[in-house]
Amino acid sequence: MPPAPPLPSVTVVLDRHDDTLHTHTALAAHHPPSGRITLHPGPGTTSETGLAHDLLAALGKPPLFSGRFPGGRQPAWEAATAWMTALPVTRLTVLRAHRLTARRAMRLLQLQVRTGFHLTLVCHRPHLPAALHQALQIADYSVTADIEAARRHYYGTPIAEPPPADEPAAPASRWLTLSALERLVSYDSPRPCADPCTPPLIAWRHRPPPAPLTVPTAQRVAQRLHAATAHPRLAAALTAALFTGASLQQLATARPRDYDDAAATLALHDRSRYTDGCAAYPVPPWAGIFLRAAACFTRLLSGEGQELLAAPGDRGHLLRMAEAARLRPPQPPTARRKGPVGRVEWDWRERQEAERYEAIPARRARPSQG
């Protein structure tokens, strides 16, 4: 493998007089699609977890997220690290850095080492605070008090033009009905392979492939998933369902080794051949961010042996997250609904198949021949 590029030097900006120009300039540089994140830590907290929640919020994600976690501990830093690794973040500017404890500053420095972004710490004081000075002893850093030099660090060099106003998105309250989600709550029950398995590309012999999303639809889905959850595995599971058409049980067979980022494939397992057997599925470009985040998150949290995507026990969390993003499978006609109007019926396809099976007339028993 080629050697890793050298880590950018940390920049400390001394805003000697707490000038609002520094704060406004740094906040104006915040533009995640361009890889620039400005983190404005919330006041009144000194916890490391609180800083991770602030970072998730800066990335456009809900700072609190539901799910099943070991010991009930919400892995906020693992989630923030996973998204910072997967998203194209190149610059992180942290305002009010003079309030950072040594441990919080160390968290940011460790995050920089892992992801390689350029870190700028803005201290609204004439001198470097003792806690920050202590943390920076392990890093290569430089100090500036010049606003133009600071601006170059906030935006990058050369300074990018202010981003155009984002175009208004389609109403997020409108449901996106996606046929690829019809099997998400299927009753099949494949199991992961106990031994290493490198399956071939899916041949689609037993069912038609899900229709690929159009570019505008894929963009809307990605935007909604990013805004609906900070949980990398839940977001990646729903993403994978859209290009595989697989059930939650089959999605749960994937392990981190089953995602090949270089080849852009995801392997799912099904040795009992409930559907198409063990097979690798091409990952569309829009979905790669979610799979990369899930792989990083799983390795940080539990290692190689755990599910890459949501597990069957996450079903309730997954469906609630999908509904929060206003994503659903085709729904039954009003006359055939089992629940109240407005509630998503995830098992409509399964019920259809069961009803068709029950409608098949039983064969007449042939008289025994004596």
Side-chain angles (χ1 to χ4, degrees), residues 285-349:
W286 71 269
I289 285 175
F290 298 98
L291 273 294
R292 287 193 291 275
C296 178
F297 180 74
T298 302
R299 291 186 173 107
L300 288 172
L301 194 62
S302 51
E304 293 283 349
Q306 296 299 310
E307 292 92 349
L308 169 67
L309 309 173
D314 294 314
R315 171 173 163 162
H317 296 297
L318 179 66
L319 299 187
R320 284 192 292 272
M321 184 270 292
E323 291 176 20
R326 309 293 281 181
L327 305 176
R328 67 181 181 184
Q331 296 296 288
T334 303
R336 303 193 66 182
R337 294 189 65 87
K338 297 295 185 181
V341 175
R343 190 178 76 182
V344 176
E345 296 195 16
W346 288 91
D347 62 347
W348 164 235
R349 174 189 172 277

Short mmCIF file of all heavy atoms in Angstrom, two decimals, residues 285-349:
data_model
loop_
_atom_site.label_atom_id
_atom_site.label_comp_id
_atom_site.label_asym_id
_atom_site.label_seq_id
_atom_site.Cartn_x
_atom_site.Cartn_y
_atom_site.Cartn_z
N PRO A 285 -22.92 4.15 -6.76
CA PRO A 285 -22.07 5.19 -6.18
C PRO A 285 -22.72 5.95 -5.03
O PRO A 285 -22.06 6.28 -4.04
CB PRO A 285 -21.77 6.10 -7.38
CG PRO A 285 -21.89 5.20 -8.57
CD PRO A 285 -22.98 4.24 -8.24
N TRP A 286 -24.00 6.27 -5.13
CA TRP A 286 -24.64 7.07 -4.08
C TRP A 286 -24.68 6.33 -2.74
O TRP A 286 -24.75 6.97 -1.68
CB TRP A 286 -26.07 7.44 -4.50
CG TRP A 286 -27.04 6.28 -4.50
CD1 TRP A 286 -27.33 5.46 -5.54
CD2 TRP A 286 -27.84 5.84 -3.39
NE1 TRP A 286 -28.27 4.52 -5.17
CE2 TRP A 286 -28.59 4.73 -3.85
CE3 TRP A 286 -27.99 6.26 -2.07
CZ2 TRP A 286 -29.49 4.04 -3.04
CZ3 TRP A 286 -28.88 5.57 -1.25
CH2 TRP A 286 -29.62 4.48 -1.73
N ALA A 287 -24.62 5.00 -2.76
CA ALA A 287 -24.75 4.21 -1.54
C ALA A 287 -23.43 3.98 -0.82
O ALA A 287 -23.42 3.54 0.33
CB ALA A 287 -25.40 2.87 -1.87
N GLY A 288 -22.30 4.26 -1.49
CA GLY A 288 -21.01 3.93 -0.92
C GLY A 288 -20.73 4.61 0.41
O GLY A 288 -20.15 4.01 1.31
N ILE A 289 -21.15 5.87 0.56
CA ILE A 289 -20.90 6.59 1.81
C ILE A 289 -21.51 5.85 2.99
O ILE A 289 -20.89 5.71 4.05
CB ILE A 289 -21.45 8.03 1.71
CG1 ILE A 289 -20.54 8.89 0.84
CG2 ILE A 289 -21.60 8.66 3.09
CD1 ILE A 289 -21.06 10.28 0.59
N PHE A 290 -22.73 5.35 2.82
CA PHE A 290 -23.42 4.68 3.92
C PHE A 290 -22.75 3.36 4.27
O PHE A 290 -22.62 3.02 5.46
CB PHE A 290 -24.89 4.46 3.56
CG PHE A 290 -25.64 5.74 3.32
CD1 PHE A 290 -25.86 6.22 2.03
CD2 PHE A 290 -26.12 6.49 4.38
CE1 PHE A 290 -26.54 7.39 1.80
CE2 PHE A 290 -26.80 7.68 4.17
CZ PHE A 290 -27.02 8.13 2.89
N LEU A 291 -22.28 2.61 3.26
CA LEU A 291 -21.60 1.35 3.54
C LEU A 291 -20.25 1.58 4.20
O LEU A 291 -19.85 0.86 5.12
CB LEU A 291 -21.44 0.54 2.24
CG LEU A 291 -22.59 -0.38 1.82
CD1 LEU A 291 -22.74 -1.52 2.81
CD2 LEU A 291 -23.90 0.35 1.64
N ARG A 292 -19.52 2.61 3.74
CA ARG A 292 -18.22 2.92 4.36
C ARG A 292 -18.40 3.33 5.81
O ARG A 292 -17.62 2.94 6.69
CB ARG A 292 -17.51 4.01 3.56
CG ARG A 292 -16.95 3.54 2.23
CD ARG A 292 -15.99 4.56 1.64
NE ARG A 292 -16.67 5.76 1.20
CZ ARG A 292 -17.24 5.90 0.01
NH1 ARG A 292 -17.23 4.89 -0.85
NH2 ARG A 292 -17.82 7.04 -0.34
N ALA A 293 -19.42 4.14 6.07
CA ALA A 293 -19.66 4.56 7.46
C ALA A 293 -20.02 3.37 8.33
O ALA A 293 -19.54 3.25 9.46
CB ALA A 293 -20.78 5.61 7.49
N ALA A 294 -20.85 2.47 7.83
CA ALA A 294 -21.24 1.30 8.61
C ALA A 294 -20.05 0.39 8.88
O ALA A 294 -19.90 -0.14 9.99
CB ALA A 294 -22.34 0.52 7.88
N ALA A 295 -19.18 0.20 7.89
CA ALA A 295 -18.00 -0.65 8.09
C ALA A 295 -17.08 -0.06 9.15
O ALA A 295 -16.59 -0.77 10.03
CB ALA A 295 -17.26 -0.83 6.76
N CYS A 296 -16.83 1.24 9.09
CA CYS A 296 -15.98 1.90 10.08
C CYS A 296 -16.61 1.81 11.46
O CYS A 296 -15.94 1.48 12.45
CB CYS A 296 -15.74 3.35 9.68
SG CYS A 296 -14.73 4.30 10.85
N PHE A 297 -17.89 2.08 11.56
CA PHE A 297 -18.61 2.06 12.83
C PHE A 297 -18.56 0.68 13.47
O PHE A 297 -18.29 0.54 14.67
CB PHE A 297 -20.06 2.49 12.58
CG PHE A 297 -20.93 2.52 13.80
CD1 PHE A 297 -20.80 3.54 14.73
CD2 PHE A 297 -21.89 1.55 14.02
CE1 PHE A 297 -21.62 3.60 15.85
CE2 PHE A 297 -22.71 1.59 15.14
CZ PHE A 297 -22.57 2.62 16.05
N THR A 298 -18.81 -0.36 12.67
CA THR A 298 -18.83 -1.71 13.22
C THR A 298 -17.46 -2.12 13.71
O THR A 298 -17.31 -2.74 14.77
CB THR A 298 -19.33 -2.70 12.15
OG1 THR A 298 -20.64 -2.30 11.72
CG2 THR A 298 -19.42 -4.11 12.70
N ARG A 299 -16.41 -1.78 12.97
CA ARG A 299 -15.06 -2.14 13.40
C ARG A 299 -14.67 -1.40 14.68
O ARG A 299 -14.01 -1.95 15.56
CB ARG A 299 -14.07 -1.85 12.28
CG ARG A 299 -14.21 -2.79 11.08
CD ARG A 299 -13.13 -2.58 10.05
NE ARG A 299 -13.18 -3.59 9.01
CZ ARG A 299 -13.60 -3.37 7.76
NH1 ARG A 299 -13.99 -2.15 7.41
NH2 ARG A 299 -13.64 -4.34 6.88
N LEU A 300 -15.08 -0.14 14.79
CA LEU A 300 -14.77 0.61 16.00
C LEU A 300 -15.52 0.08 17.21
O LEU A 300 -14.99 0.06 18.32
CB LEU A 300 -15.14 2.09 15.80
CG LEU A 300 -14.26 2.92 14.88
CD1 LEU A 300 -14.89 4.29 14.66
CD2 LEU A 300 -12.86 3.08 15.46
N LEU A 301 -16.75 -0.37 16.98
CA LEU A 301 -17.62 -0.73 18.09
C LEU A 301 -17.48 -2.18 18.52
O LEU A 301 -17.44 -2.48 19.71
CB LEU A 301 -19.07 -0.45 17.70
CG LEU A 301 -20.09 -0.44 18.83
CD1 LEU A 301 -19.77 0.65 19.83
CD2 LEU A 301 -21.50 -0.24 18.26
N SER A 302 -17.40 -3.08 17.55
CA SER A 302 -17.48 -4.49 17.94
C SER A 302 -16.59 -5.43 17.14
O SER A 302 -16.62 -6.63 17.36
CB SER A 302 -18.94 -4.96 17.82
OG SER A 302 -19.48 -4.63 16.55
N GLY A 303 -15.82 -4.91 16.18
CA GLY A 303 -14.89 -5.77 15.47
C GLY A 303 -15.48 -6.40 14.22
O GLY A 303 -16.59 -6.07 13.78
N GLU A 304 -14.75 -7.37 13.67
CA GLU A 304 -15.09 -7.96 12.38
C GLU A 304 -16.24 -8.97 12.45
O GLU A 304 -16.86 -9.28 11.45
CB GLU A 304 -13.86 -8.66 11.79
CG GLU A 304 -12.73 -7.71 11.40
CD GLU A 304 -13.02 -6.98 10.10
OE1 GLU A 304 -13.96 -7.36 9.40
OE2 GLU A 304 -12.30 -6.02 9.81
N GLY A 305 -16.52 -9.51 13.63
CA GLY A 305 -17.46 -10.63 13.70
C GLY A 305 -18.90 -10.23 13.85
O GLY A 305 -19.78 -11.10 13.85
N GLN A 306 -19.21 -8.95 13.97
CA GLN A 306 -20.58 -8.52 14.18
C GLN A 306 -21.23 -8.08 12.87
O GLN A 306 -20.57 -7.90 11.85
CB GLN A 306 -20.62 -7.38 15.20
CG GLN A 306 -20.15 -7.79 16.58
CD GLN A 306 -21.01 -8.90 17.17
OE1 GLN A 306 -22.23 -8.79 17.18
NE2 GLN A 306 -20.38 -9.95 17.67
N GLU A 307 -22.55 -7.91 12.92
CA GLU A 307 -23.28 -7.51 11.72
C GLU A 307 -22.78 -6.17 11.19
O GLU A 307 -22.57 -5.23 11.96
CB GLU A 307 -24.78 -7.40 12.02
CG GLU A 307 -25.48 -8.70 12.33
CD GLU A 307 -25.49 -9.02 13.82
OE1 GLU A 307 -24.77 -8.32 14.58
OE2 GLU A 307 -26.20 -9.95 14.22
N LEU A 308 -22.61 -6.12 9.89
CA LEU A 308 -22.25 -4.85 9.24
C LEU A 308 -23.46 -3.93 9.21
O LEU A 308 -23.33 -2.70 9.37
CB LEU A 308 -21.77 -5.12 7.81
CG LEU A 308 -21.59 -3.92 6.89
CD1 LEU A 308 -20.46 -3.03 7.39
CD2 LEU A 308 -21.33 -4.37 5.46
N LEU A 309 -24.63 -4.51 8.99
CA LEU A 309 -25.87 -3.75 8.86
C LEU A 309 -26.76 -4.03 10.07
O LEU A 309 -26.33 -4.64 11.04
CB LEU A 309 -26.56 -4.13 7.54
CG LEU A 309 -25.66 -4.06 6.30
CD1 LEU A 309 -26.37 -4.63 5.09
CD2 LEU A 309 -25.22 -2.62 6.04
N ALA A 310 -27.98 -3.57 10.02
CA ALA A 310 -28.89 -3.80 11.12
C ALA A 310 -29.13 -5.29 11.33
O ALA A 310 -29.15 -6.07 10.38
CB ALA A 310 -30.22 -3.10 10.84
N ALA A 311 -29.31 -5.69 12.59
CA ALA A 311 -29.60 -7.07 12.94
C ALA A 311 -31.11 -7.25 13.04
O ALA A 311 -31.85 -6.26 13.15
CB ALA A 311 -28.93 -7.42 14.26
N PRO A 312 -31.61 -8.50 13.01
CA PRO A 312 -33.06 -8.71 13.13
C PRO A 312 -33.66 -8.04 14.36
O PRO A 312 -34.79 -7.55 14.32
CB PRO A 312 -33.19 -10.23 13.18
CG PRO A 312 -32.03 -10.72 12.39
CD PRO A 312 -30.91 -9.77 12.69
N GLY A 313 -32.91 -7.97 15.46
CA GLY A 313 -33.42 -7.31 16.65
C GLY A 313 -33.56 -5.81 16.51
O GLY A 313 -34.16 -5.16 17.37
N ASP A 314 -33.00 -5.24 15.45
CA ASP A 314 -33.10 -3.80 15.19
C ASP A 314 -34.31 -3.46 14.34
O ASP A 314 -34.45 -2.31 13.91
CB ASP A 314 -31.84 -3.29 14.47
CG ASP A 314 -30.60 -3.38 15.33
OD1 ASP A 314 -30.68 -2.97 16.50
OD2 ASP A 314 -29.57 -3.86 14.83
N ARG A 315 -35.17 -4.44 14.08
CA ARG A 315 -36.26 -4.23 13.12
C ARG A 315 -37.10 -3.00 13.46
O ARG A 315 -37.38 -2.17 12.61
CB ARG A 315 -37.14 -5.47 13.06
CG ARG A 315 -38.41 -5.29 12.25
CD ARG A 315 -39.16 -6.59 12.10
NE ARG A 315 -40.55 -6.36 11.70
CZ ARG A 315 -41.34 -7.27 11.16
NH1 ARG A 315 -40.87 -8.49 10.99
NH2 ARG A 315 -42.57 -7.01 10.84
N GLY A 316 -37.52 -2.88 14.73
CA GLY A 316 -38.36 -1.74 15.10
C GLY A 316 -37.66 -0.42 14.87
O GLY A 316 -38.25 0.52 14.34
N HIS A 317 -36.39 -0.34 15.27
CA HIS A 317 -35.62 0.90 15.06
C HIS A 317 -35.48 1.20 13.57
O HIS A 317 -35.58 2.36 13.16
CB HIS A 317 -34.24 0.77 15.69
CG HIS A 317 -34.26 0.61 17.18
ND1 HIS A 317 -34.75 1.57 18.03
CD2 HIS A 317 -33.84 -0.42 17.97
CE1 HIS A 317 -34.63 1.17 19.28
NE2 HIS A 317 -34.09 -0.03 19.28
N LEU A 318 -35.24 0.16 12.77
CA LEU A 318 -35.05 0.36 11.33
C LEU A 318 -36.32 0.89 10.67
O LEU A 318 -36.27 1.84 9.88
CB LEU A 318 -34.61 -0.95 10.68
CG LEU A 318 -34.37 -0.91 9.18
CD1 LEU A 318 -33.20 -0.01 8.84
CD2 LEU A 318 -34.14 -2.31 8.62
N LEU A 319 -37.45 0.29 10.99
CA LEU A 319 -38.70 0.71 10.35
C LEU A 319 -39.10 2.12 10.80
O LEU A 319 -39.58 2.92 9.99
CB LEU A 319 -39.82 -0.28 10.67
CG LEU A 319 -39.59 -1.72 10.17
CD1 LEU A 319 -40.84 -2.55 10.39
CD2 LEU A 319 -39.17 -1.75 8.71
N ARG A 320 -38.86 2.43 12.07
CA ARG A 320 -39.16 3.80 12.52
C ARG A 320 -38.25 4.81 11.85
O ARG A 320 -38.69 5.92 11.50
CB ARG A 320 -39.03 3.88 14.05
CG ARG A 320 -40.20 3.26 14.80
CD ARG A 320 -40.17 3.62 16.27
NE ARG A 320 -39.06 2.99 16.96
CZ ARG A 320 -39.11 1.77 17.50
NH1 ARG A 320 -40.20 1.04 17.41
NH2 ARG A 320 -38.06 1.27 18.13
N MET A 321 -36.98 4.45 11.64
CA MET A 321 -36.08 5.36 10.95
C MET A 321 -36.52 5.56 9.50
O MET A 321 -36.51 6.68 8.98
CB MET A 321 -34.65 4.81 11.00
CG MET A 321 -33.59 5.72 10.40
SD MET A 321 -33.30 5.43 8.65
CE MET A 321 -32.55 3.81 8.71
N ALA A 322 -36.94 4.47 8.83
CA ALA A 322 -37.41 4.60 7.45
C ALA A 322 -38.64 5.49 7.38
O ALA A 322 -38.76 6.33 6.47
CB ALA A 322 -37.72 3.21 6.89
N GLU A 323 -39.53 5.34 8.34
CA GLU A 323 -40.73 6.17 8.33
C GLU A 323 -40.40 7.62 8.64
O GLU A 323 -41.03 8.54 8.10
CB GLU A 323 -41.75 5.61 9.32
CG GLU A 323 -42.32 4.27 8.88
CD GLU A 323 -43.26 3.65 9.90
OE1 GLU A 323 -43.76 4.39 10.77
OE2 GLU A 323 -43.49 2.42 9.85
N ALA A 324 -39.40 7.85 9.50
CA ALA A 324 -38.96 9.23 9.76
C ALA A 324 -38.41 9.87 8.49
O ALA A 324 -38.56 11.08 8.28
CB ALA A 324 -37.91 9.24 10.86
N ALA A 325 -37.78 9.07 7.64
CA ALA A 325 -37.26 9.56 6.36
C ALA A 325 -38.33 9.57 5.28
O ALA A 325 -38.04 9.96 4.14
CB ALA A 325 -36.09 8.70 5.91
N ARG A 326 -39.55 9.14 5.62
CA ARG A 326 -40.69 9.10 4.69
C ARG A 326 -40.40 8.18 3.50
O ARG A 326 -40.67 8.52 2.35
CB ARG A 326 -41.08 10.50 4.22
CG ARG A 326 -41.28 11.52 5.33
CD ARG A 326 -42.48 11.19 6.19
NE ARG A 326 -43.74 11.59 5.57
CZ ARG A 326 -44.93 11.43 6.14
NH1 ARG A 326 -45.01 10.85 7.32
NH2 ARG A 326 -46.03 11.81 5.52
N LEU A 327 -39.86 7.02 3.82
CA LEU A 327 -39.59 6.00 2.81
C LEU A 327 -40.44 4.78 3.15
O LEU A 327 -40.45 4.34 4.31
CB LEU A 327 -38.11 5.61 2.80
CG LEU A 327 -37.11 6.75 2.61
CD1 LEU A 327 -35.68 6.22 2.72
CD2 LEU A 327 -37.31 7.46 1.28
N ARG A 328 -41.11 4.18 2.17
CA ARG A 328 -42.00 3.05 2.43
C ARG A 328 -42.14 2.18 1.19
O ARG A 328 -41.86 2.64 0.07
CB ARG A 328 -43.38 3.55 2.86
CG ARG A 328 -44.11 4.28 1.73
CD ARG A 328 -45.47 4.80 2.14
NE ARG A 328 -46.14 5.46 1.01
CZ ARG A 328 -47.30 6.07 1.07
NH1 ARG A 328 -47.94 6.13 2.25
NH2 ARG A 328 -47.84 6.63 0.00
N PRO A 329 -42.58 0.94 1.35
CA PRO A 329 -42.89 0.10 0.19
C PRO A 329 -44.28 0.44 -0.34
O PRO A 329 -45.03 1.20 0.31
CB PRO A 329 -42.86 -1.31 0.79
CG PRO A 329 -43.28 -1.11 2.21
CD PRO A 329 -42.73 0.23 2.62
N PRO A 330 -44.66 -0.10 -1.49
CA PRO A 330 -46.03 0.11 -1.99
C PRO A 330 -47.07 -0.31 -0.94
O PRO A 330 -46.88 -1.31 -0.25
CB PRO A 330 -46.09 -0.76 -3.24
CG PRO A 330 -44.67 -0.84 -3.71
CD PRO A 330 -43.85 -0.87 -2.46
N GLN A 331 -48.13 0.46 -0.85
CA GLN A 331 -49.15 0.23 0.17
C GLN A 331 -50.41 -0.40 -0.43
O GLN A 331 -50.69 -0.26 -1.61
CB GLN A 331 -49.50 1.55 0.85
CG GLN A 331 -48.33 2.17 1.62
CD GLN A 331 -47.91 1.30 2.77
OE1 GLN A 331 -48.62 1.20 3.78
NE2 GLN A 331 -46.77 0.64 2.64
N PRO A 332 -51.18 -1.13 0.41
CA PRO A 332 -52.39 -1.78 -0.11
C PRO A 332 -53.48 -0.75 -0.42
O PRO A 332 -53.46 0.37 0.12
CB PRO A 332 -52.81 -2.68 1.06
CG PRO A 332 -52.25 -2.01 2.27
CD PRO A 332 -50.95 -1.41 1.83
N PRO A 333 -54.44 -1.14 -1.26
CA PRO A 333 -55.60 -0.26 -1.47
C PRO A 333 -56.33 -0.02 -0.15
O PRO A 333 -56.26 -0.83 0.77
CB PRO A 333 -56.48 -1.05 -2.45
CG PRO A 333 -55.58 -2.08 -3.06
CD PRO A 333 -54.52 -2.38 -2.04
N THR A 334 -56.99 1.10 -0.07
CA THR A 334 -57.67 1.46 1.18
C THR A 334 -58.59 0.35 1.67
O THR A 334 -58.64 0.05 2.87
CB THR A 334 -58.47 2.76 0.98
OG1 THR A 334 -57.59 3.80 0.53
CG2 THR A 334 -59.15 3.19 2.27
N ALA A 335 -59.30 -0.30 0.74
CA ALA A 335 -60.26 -1.33 1.14
C ALA A 335 -59.58 -2.57 1.73
O ALA A 335 -60.24 -3.36 2.41
CB ALA A 335 -61.11 -1.73 -0.06
N ARG A 336 -58.30 -2.74 1.48
CA ARG A 336 -57.62 -3.95 1.94
C ARG A 336 -56.62 -3.67 3.07
O ARG A 336 -55.84 -4.54 3.44
CB ARG A 336 -56.91 -4.61 0.78
CG ARG A 336 -57.84 -4.96 -0.39
CD ARG A 336 -57.18 -5.87 -1.37
NE ARG A 336 -56.91 -7.17 -0.77
CZ ARG A 336 -56.29 -8.17 -1.41
NH1 ARG A 336 -55.89 -8.00 -2.65
NH2 ARG A 336 -56.07 -9.33 -0.80
N ARG A 337 -56.67 -2.47 3.62
CA ARG A 337 -55.77 -2.15 4.71
C ARG A 337 -56.15 -2.89 5.97
O ARG A 337 -57.32 -3.09 6.27
CB ARG A 337 -55.76 -0.65 4.99
CG ARG A 337 -55.20 0.22 3.87
CD ARG A 337 -55.04 1.65 4.33
NE ARG A 337 -54.05 1.76 5.39
CZ ARG A 337 -52.75 1.91 5.20
NH1 ARG A 337 -52.28 1.97 3.97
NH2 ARG A 337 -51.92 1.99 6.20
N LYS A 338 -55.15 -3.31 6.74
CA LYS A 338 -55.37 -3.97 8.02
C LYS A 338 -55.28 -3.00 9.19
O LYS A 338 -55.71 -3.30 10.28
CB LYS A 338 -54.34 -5.08 8.22
CG LYS A 338 -54.43 -6.21 7.19
CD LYS A 338 -55.73 -6.97 7.32
CE LYS A 338 -55.75 -8.16 6.38
NZ LYS A 338 -57.03 -8.91 6.45
N GLY A 339 -54.67 -1.84 8.94
CA GLY A 339 -54.50 -0.86 10.00
C GLY A 339 -55.14 0.45 9.62
O GLY A 339 -55.71 0.60 8.54
N PRO A 340 -55.03 1.44 10.48
CA PRO A 340 -55.62 2.75 10.19
C PRO A 340 -54.92 3.43 9.03
O PRO A 340 -53.74 3.20 8.77
CB PRO A 340 -55.43 3.52 11.50
CG PRO A 340 -54.28 2.84 12.18
CD PRO A 340 -54.38 1.39 11.80
N VAL A 341 -55.65 4.28 8.34
CA VAL A 341 -55.08 5.05 7.24
C VAL A 341 -53.96 5.94 7.78
O VAL A 341 -54.11 6.57 8.83
CB VAL A 341 -56.16 5.90 6.56
CG1 VAL A 341 -55.54 6.80 5.48
CG2 VAL A 341 -57.24 5.01 5.95
N GLY A 342 -52.84 5.94 7.08
CA GLY A 342 -51.70 6.73 7.51
C GLY A 342 -50.60 5.91 8.13
O GLY A 342 -49.46 6.38 8.20
N ARG A 343 -50.92 4.70 8.58
CA ARG A 343 -49.87 3.83 9.13
C ARG A 343 -49.27 2.98 8.02
O ARG A 343 -50.00 2.40 7.21
CB ARG A 343 -50.44 2.93 10.22
CG ARG A 343 -49.37 2.18 10.98
CD ARG A 343 -49.96 1.33 12.09
NE ARG A 343 -50.58 0.13 11.54
CZ ARG A 343 -51.23 -0.78 12.27
NH1 ARG A 343 -51.37 -0.59 13.58
NH2 ARG A 343 -51.76 -1.84 11.72
N VAL A 344 -47.95 2.92 7.98
CA VAL A 344 -47.27 2.14 6.94
C VAL A 344 -47.46 0.65 7.21
O VAL A 344 -47.26 0.18 8.33
CB VAL A 344 -45.77 2.49 6.88
CG1 VAL A 344 -45.06 1.62 5.86
CG2 VAL A 344 -45.58 3.96 6.56
N GLU A 345 -47.87 -0.08 6.18
CA GLU A 345 -48.00 -1.53 6.29
C GLU A 345 -46.81 -2.16 5.55
O GLU A 345 -46.77 -2.21 4.32
CB GLU A 345 -49.33 -2.00 5.71
CG GLU A 345 -50.52 -1.47 6.50
CD GLU A 345 -51.82 -2.19 6.20
OE1 GLU A 345 -51.77 -3.29 5.61
OE2 GLU A 345 -52.87 -1.64 6.54
N TRP A 346 -45.84 -2.63 6.33
CA TRP A 346 -44.61 -3.15 5.77
C TRP A 346 -44.76 -4.57 5.25
O TRP A 346 -43.95 -5.02 4.43
CB TRP A 346 -43.51 -3.10 6.82
CG TRP A 346 -43.03 -1.71 7.10
CD1 TRP A 346 -43.49 -0.85 8.04
CD2 TRP A 346 -42.02 -1.00 6.38
NE1 TRP A 346 -42.82 0.35 7.97
CE2 TRP A 346 -41.91 0.29 6.96
CE3 TRP A 346 -41.18 -1.32 5.30
CZ2 TRP A 346 -41.01 1.24 6.51
CZ3 TRP A 346 -40.28 -0.37 4.85
CH2 TRP A 346 -40.20 0.90 5.45
N ASP A 347 -45.76 -5.31 5.70
CA ASP A 347 -45.89 -6.72 5.31
C ASP A 347 -46.96 -6.95 4.25
O ASP A 347 -47.44 -8.06 4.07
CB ASP A 347 -46.21 -7.57 6.54
CG ASP A 347 -47.53 -7.18 7.19
OD1 ASP A 347 -48.08 -6.11 6.84
OD2 ASP A 347 -48.02 -7.95 8.04
N TRP A 348 -47.33 -5.90 3.50
CA TRP A 348 -48.37 -6.03 2.48
C TRP A 348 -48.00 -7.08 1.43
O TRP A 348 -48.82 -7.92 1.07
CB TRP A 348 -48.62 -4.68 1.84
CG TRP A 348 -49.38 -4.67 0.54
CD1 TRP A 348 -48.99 -4.12 -0.63
CD2 TRP A 348 -50.68 -5.23 0.30
NE1 TRP A 348 -49.93 -4.29 -1.60
CE2 TRP A 348 -51.00 -4.98 -1.05
CE3 TRP A 348 -51.59 -5.93 1.06
CZ2 TRP A 348 -52.19 -5.38 -1.64
CZ3 TRP A 348 -52.78 -6.35 0.47
CH2 TRP A 348 -53.07 -6.06 -0.85
N ARG A 349 -46.76 -7.10 0.97
CA ARG A 349 -46.36 -8.08 -0.04
C ARG A 349 -46.46 -9.50 0.52
O ARG A 349 -46.93 -10.41 -0.15
CB ARG A 349 -44.93 -7.81 -0.51
CG ARG A 349 -44.38 -8.87 -1.45
CD ARG A 349 -42.89 -8.66 -1.71
NE ARG A 349 -42.33 -9.76 -2.46
CZ ARG A 349 -41.93 -10.91 -1.92
NH1 ARG A 349 -42.07 -11.11 -0.62
NH2 ARG A 349 -41.42 -11.87 -2.66
#
